[in-house]
Amino acid sequence: SSDTVLGVSQMLASKRGDAAIITDSSGGLAGIITDTDVTRRVVAKKLPPSSTRVSDVMTANPTCVSSSDSATDALVTMVENRFRHLPVTDDNGSIVGILDIAKCLNDAITKLEHSKDKSSSAAEDAVKHVVSLKGAGGAQAAALQHLLGPLLSQAFAGQSSPTLRTILAGKPSTIASPFSNLHEVGLMMAEARKSALVVEGGKLIGIFGFKDMMSRAIAKELPLELTSVSSVMTPNPESVSPDTTVLEALQIMHDNKFLTLPVCEADGRVIGVVDVMDCVYASGGADGWRSIFASAMECDDITDTASVHSTHKSVKSVKSMKSTTRAVKMADTTVLKLRPKAPMICHSSDTVLG
């Protein structure tokens, strides 16, 4: 793994990625490095990205799953261990993809929404009624509550969805001045493992995340101690009230494809920031999410089933329709059903920039 952190960061930035798989000389899985690792293990420790080898800062021998493993088990593994990414191999150990918990969660909610749309016109009428009373924003939250509420109640022993104020209580803040340099901000982000919120005059003016640090600073070889966070932050981000429930936050992140959400009081005072994993974890334990993910796996439509018939050749050899249905069901519930993203691979024998 002779690639440098700079080279890998530039490769990921060019492809808008946030994690790279590192392979050994035989093509096997050697490690993984993410945008968070770049901040925590390189920026915070003042290591030079241009000469620091990825092998020195990657997570070596990471947990992985096989493409033939249970999809639900893979998702639960990510929740239990707070893994954002999980490499996927084939049965021979070759890298075939990578799971991203945020994408998997988005897909699960979308499948449940589609299933609800098809199975309950009454639910659609109820949502339309809520739109007339609350407006679209309130209806989105109500729709997700209608969608996931019964599942969550059953999965998590009837507990109600906590608010963001509750899950942020006692957590370290990651508030930075617009004049803070990137090394200072990186230290704070690394310690709290959170994006930085840029605040001026008590008001939120920007957000700066781990992917921003990697793609906007490291990949462009900016001098961290001479670069202010305000010059590379995302300005004027959307924020939510601390009284927003975890379910509502999940819906907002799903609808907008956000990974993080700043949390501010009505008067603009900044409370903190939450991410997808905060919301998933605060909703209950892994066993509860197992039932939700399993429900999502059962919600695929006919077109998905048809694609399984065409891509899994083993199904063709099954003689009876009944056994074919069972084979398709088995195929549906493997990790491949989660549609792992194509892996961004760095080989030990070549350079990314060459």
Side-chain angles (χ1 to χ4, degrees), residues 274-339:
V274 296
D275 57 34
V276 170
M277 290 307 296
D278 291 328
C279 294
V280 168
Y281 210 73
S283 298
D287 287 341
W289 279 102
R290 177 185 294 277
S291 65
I292 291 174
F293 286 135
S295 296
M297 291 297 100
E298 295 173 359
C299 288
D300 283 321
D301 57 25
I302 296 173
T303 57
D304 284 338
T305 303
S307 69
V308 173
H309 276 288
S310 64
T311 57
H312 293 272
K313 295 181 180 180
S314 60
V315 174
K316 295 180 180 179
S317 63
V318 181
K319 295 181 180 180
S320 70
M321 180 62 71
K322 185 174 181 180
S323 59
T324 298
T325 302
R326 284 200 302 268
V328 171
K329 186 65 177 177
M330 288 177 63
D332 278 356
T333 57
T334 65
V335 167
L336 284 179
K337 195 63 183 176
L338 298 174
R339 302 179 182 89

Side-chain angles (χ1 to χ4, degrees), residues 11-243:
M11 182 270 288
L12 287 172
S14 69
K15 296 182 179 181
R16 299 184 179 181
D18 50 23
I21 299 296
I22 314 300
T23 59
D24 56 27
S25 57
S26 62
L29 177 63
I32 184 172
I33 186 167
T34 69
D35 50 5
T36 305
D37 297 330
V38 171
T39 294
R40 292 182 55 234
R41 300 173 183 174
V42 181
V43 173
K45 295 184 178 180
K46 287 192 172 183
L47 298 179
S50 59
S51 58
T52 300
R53 296 181 305 170
V54 172
S55 56
D56 292 334
V57 293
M58 70 183 185
T59 298
N61 304 312
T63 300
C64 62
V65 292
S66 168
S67 57
S68 59
D69 286 343
S70 159
T72 303
D73 286 350
L75 292 169
V76 170
T77 294
M78 299 179 82
V79 173
E80 284 179 333
N81 296 280
R82 289 200 169 210
F83 292 155
R84 167 77 193 283
H85 303 92
L86 192 62
V88 180
T89 66
D90 62 18
D91 291 337
N92 297 317
S94 299
I95 308 297
V96 296
I98 186 167
L99 294 177
D100 181 324
I101 190 64
K103 176 183 178 296
C104 292
L105 181 63
N106 278 331
D107 289 348
I109 292 176
T110 298
K111 287 177 182 179
L112 289 167
E113 286 176 336
H114 288 170
S115 173
K116 209 71 175 180
D117 288 343
K118 291 178 180 179
S119 63
S120 177
S121 59
E124 183 177 348
D125 292 340
V127 169
K128 287 180 179 178
H129 179 62
V130 174
V131 170
S132 67
L133 296 177
K134 294 186 176 183
Q140 288 175 349
L144 189 62
Q145 179 62 51
H146 182 80
L147 175 72
L148 289 185
L151 280 173
L152 284 171
S153 180
Q154 179 181 9
F156 304 127
Q159 72 182 53
S160 60
S161 180
T163 65
L164 301 186
R165 189 187 303 279
T166 301
I167 68 174
L168 285 173
K171 297 290 179 64
S173 64
T174 50
I175 295 176
S177 157
F179 307 107
S180 299
N181 69 52
L182 292 185
H183 180 252
E184 294 169 337
V185 172
L187 282 172
M188 179 176 58
M189 293 167 62
E191 182 176 357
R193 298 196 180 194
K194 294 291 178 190
S195 298
L197 300 177
V198 185
V199 176
E200 186 173 34
K203 307 296 183 183
L204 179 68
I205 64 168
I207 187 170
F208 185 73
F210 294 103
K211 191 171 182 178
D212 300 327
M213 179 71 84
M214 182 187 70
S215 60
R216 298 178 185 176
I218 299 301
K220 294 184 178 180
E221 300 185 76
L222 297 183
L224 301 184
E225 294 187 346
L226 300 177
T227 304
S228 66
V229 68
S230 60
S231 66
V232 287
M233 70 184 185
T234 299
N236 306 314
E238 293 188 33
S239 63
V240 296
S241 163
D243 297 318

